[in-house]
Amino acid sequence: MTPSDGASKHDFPAASGDAGGGLSVFASNGPPPCPPRFNIAAHVLSAAATTPQKIALQVLADTHGAVAETWRFADLDRRIRGLAAGLGRAGLKPGDRVALRFANSADFPLVFFATIAAGGVAVPVAAQLTPGEAAAILHRVAPRFAAFGPGLDAPLPPGTAALDPTTLVEMATEAPGSIADTAADDPAFLIFTSGTSGSPRGVLHAQRSAWARRMMWQGWYGLSEADRVLHAGAFNWTYTLGAGLTDPWAAGATALVYAGPPDPLIWPRLAAHHHPTIFAAVPGVYRQMLRAEDDLAAAFAPLRHGLTAGEKLPPSVADAWSARTAKPIHEALGMTELSTFISGAPDRPAPPGAIGYPQPGRRVAILAEEAAPGQRHPVPRGTPGLLAAHRADPGLMIGYWQDPAADAATREGDWFVPGDRAVMAADGAITHLGRADDVMNALGYRVAPQEVEQALAGAPGIAEIAVAELPMRTDLSLIAAFVVPAADWEGTAVLEAWAADRLAPYKCPRLWIEVDALPRTANGKLRRRALVAEHRRDTTA
């Protein structure tokens, strides 16, 4: 598979500051262009040459602060280049794919970066999948090797060799070799999206994608080599791989990742023991911590700020966290195809209600939603439309794996249009209005479910809430609010009054449905379609 025309030209046109004028286009200068010869593994291991004895990773084992593993930058360099040499001796050729399926173990990033160091293409396969689901992905990508953690093997396609834990240990003893000399546009890894419906979609990324992440260092993290980054995700989640490992290591910072038994309330205790300066998690983790009685201010005293992505951060959660800790949370919007590209940041917090600003170096636009494909142009600021990123963005994927129709469906001239709705303010701040295919139709009006959810999130008696359009019959759909009750739940009458005070009549839910929990993907994202489908089954049974 070769790079798309737009993705291969990863140098932006010159831009300085706000380039949009009165239209919804925003561009600014960012990091220098990616070097033409570039390898992700060399990028993340660069600190091994300058600070070899600095701690790069601590694997945290339990709630009492025990450290299971400590990796210095020199250790990472030696192990990753040793595994890469072993893969090469076993027959891996440049461009060959290596599937990897591990539980919450440091083996995941080690094999991931070793594959890229050897010139191969890493293909993570989620540990949460069934063996049948994992086998389906393996057959789609036909890897040269498949590396499995204990108990996570799956049926292999013809021509794929298994790398079991014993084989990987033997490979790790190989003398470290050199890192492959790859081009910035060469493929590096293939991620299958978690998805909310249908088959998982493969997203092929180039080596340059890690360099593009430098736009997040200023535009989201405020990251420096002095930071200690605690990520609440597991090793085998790409959010952790990027924000929790790739970026801290490339910046020369220390990464802290928990690999002990699941415990949603562990994070204050870990923070108290290990003193992170940056904490990254999905909104649900912050919500869970706020329900507990921990002294969050004391536990997170060294923290400069929190980060969040994956789903919308309710303003009530952000406000409660700030009140308890006196520290802000900076939210980011992203997608598998591009990673996060719009965010609040320490030096430019998001205005109320907005996600934030395009990161320095990004070029973002809002295109006319009602226009025909091929005729969509930027709309005036303040007008909702389709969120678009320039196809020259160095972080944009090479393309969808063996799916040219999906590639074509996201192209609009020079823009990549993934199907999100948004509006750009006069100063360039972006407010996300949800997925275009999630938009509800109420009495002829278009209503984003996120808008209704945000209005209802602070209502009394709600632990969590999701809103969706629920088909009742072929000619009738209603806006439904699915509520996970809190301890002070008093019934729907209070919610109806709350909604009436804050929403236009056509935006107010007509159905209030109590549920025990909201369905989410393994990565914590709300599965809105699954929620609707489940309720339809319940009502038609």
Side-chain angles (χ1 to χ4, degrees):
M1 187 169 187
T2 57
S4 64
D5 291 342
S8 64
K9 299 168 184 172
H10 48 79
D11 293 347
F12 277 125
S16 179
D18 178 356
L23 293 178
S24 294
V25 179
F26 193 96
S28 63
N29 290 326
C34 183
R37 309 301 298 181
F38 182 78
N39 185 281
I40 291 175
H43 178 62
V44 301
L45 295 174
S46 59
T50 55
T51 55
Q53 296 308 309
K54 183 177 180 178
I55 294 175
L57 170 66
Q58 286 189 315
V59 181
L60 312 181
D62 60 31
T63 61
H64 304 294
V67 176
E69 301 174 58
T70 295
W71 292 80
R72 301 181 186 276
F73 279 105
D75 302 327
L76 284 179
D77 182 79
R78 186 165 46 252
R79 176 63 62 87
I80 288 172
R81 291 195 295 116
L83 283 170
L87 288 170
R89 287 193 178 89
L92 185 74
K93 300 293 190 295
D96 283 350
R97 292 171 293 283
V98 176
L100 50 149
R101 190 170 186 235
F102 294 95
N104 194 16
S105 161
D107 288 335
F108 174 81
L110 294 173
V111 175
F112 179 90
F113 290 117
T115 297
I116 296 171
V121 178
V123 186
V125 180
Q128 295 89 345
L129 298 179
T130 66
E133 290 171 319
I137 290 176
L138 293 172
H139 279 73
R140 285 177 63 183
V141 302
R144 175 69 181 83
F145 295 105
F148 297 120
L152 291 174
D153 55 315
L156 298 177
T160 297
L163 300 176
D164 59 27
T166 301
T167 303
L168 290 172
V169 170
E170 294 172 353
M171 280 187 174
T173 64
E174 295 276 356
S178 59
I179 292 176
D181 178 22
T182 51
D185 284 324
D186 285 344
F189 60 97
L190 174 60
I191 297 288
F192 280 83
T193 60
S194 55
T196 55
S197 65
S199 300
R201 176 175 287 174
V203 177
L204 183 64
H205 274 288
Q207 301 283 349
R208 56 179 156 76
S209 62
W211 181 270
R213 297 187 62 88
R214 290 164 59 95
M215 292 186 272
M216 303 176 204
W217 295 11
Q218 175 188 349
W220 183 23
Y221 308 147
L223 181 65
S224 78
E225 64 181 6
D227 279 311
R228 292 172 59 81
V229 181
L230 173 61
H231 202 294
F235 276 107
N236 57 21
W237 187 13
T238 53
Y239 180 16
T240 311
L241 182 65
L245 296 172
T246 299
D247 294 323
W249 288 349
T254 297
L256 306 169
V257 180
Y258 174 64
D263 182 349
L265 301 180
I266 189 177
W267 308 110
R269 282 167 269 170
L270 291 180
H273 280 288
H274 298 287
H275 314 298
T277 57
I278 296 176
F279 176 67
V282 296
V285 170
Y286 290 99
R287 186 186 299 112
Q288 290 167 337
M289 287 192 289
L290 289 167
R291 292 175 185 165
E293 297 181 357
D294 296 86
D295 185 345
L296 298 181
F300 287 94
L303 194 74
R304 292 194 289 115
H305 50 262
L307 305 173
T308 194
E311 62 177 327
K312 178 61 183 171
L313 174 68
S316 58
V317 173
D319 292 343
W321 174 264
S322 180
R324 292 270 296 272
T325 66
K327 308 293 171 64
I329 301 174
H330 298 298
E331 185 177 8
L333 174 67
M335 59 200 69
T336 304
E337 295 88 341
L338 185 58
S339 196
T340 62
F341 64 112
I342 297 168
S343 50
D347 62 356
R348 198 174 191 186
I355 289 285
Y357 298 88
Q359 294 162 355
R362 307 287 188 184
R363 186 173 177 87
V364 173
I366 309 296
L367 305 184
E369 188 171 5
E370 303 302 332
Q375 301 178 20
R376 296 188 174 113
H377 300 288
V379 298
R381 297 200 176 189
T383 302
L386 294 174
L387 180 63
H390 202 280
R391 287 176 56 210
D393 193 300
L396 184 62
M397 65 177 180
I398 294 174
Y400 293 111
W401 179 252
Q402 299 178 338
D403 195 347
D407 282 332
T410 60
R411 295 181 185 179
E412 184 70 34
D414 290 335
W415 300 102
F416 168 70
V417 186
D420 290 80
R421 299 182 70 249
V423 62
M424 183 181 291
D427 67 347
I430 303 289
T431 297
H432 188 234
L433 301 177
R435 291 285 301 172
D437 51 9
D438 276 343
V439 172
M440 304 176 293
N441 190 306
L443 303 176
Y445 294 93
R446 298 169 65 85
V447 180
Q450 289 84 354
E451 180 183 3
V452 181
E453 289 166 355
Q454 289 178 34
L456 297 173
I462 292 179
E464 291 188 276
I465 190 165
V467 174
E469 185 176 355
L470 184 63
M472 305 303 292
R473 55 178 189 265
T474 56
D475 61 344
L476 176 65
S477 294
L478 298 176
I479 294 180
F482 298 86
V483 179
V484 179
D488 56 344
W489 171 249
E490 295 181 5
T492 60
V494 174
L495 299 184
E496 290 172 350
W498 184 279
D501 287 341
R502 291 162 176 80
L503 293 167
Y506 69 87
K507 296 181 182 179
C508 292
R510 295 294 185 266
L511 296 172
W512 301 86
I513 301 167
E514 295 183 40
V515 294
D516 294 330
L518 299 180
R520 299 186 183 277
T521 67
N523 293 345
K525 294 183 180 179
L526 177 66
R527 298 176 61 221
R528 204 181 302 276
R529 293 182 186 177
L531 187 63
V532 171
E534 180 180 354
H535 185 74
R536 291 188 71 182
R537 284 197 301 270
D538 289 345
T539 58
T540 58

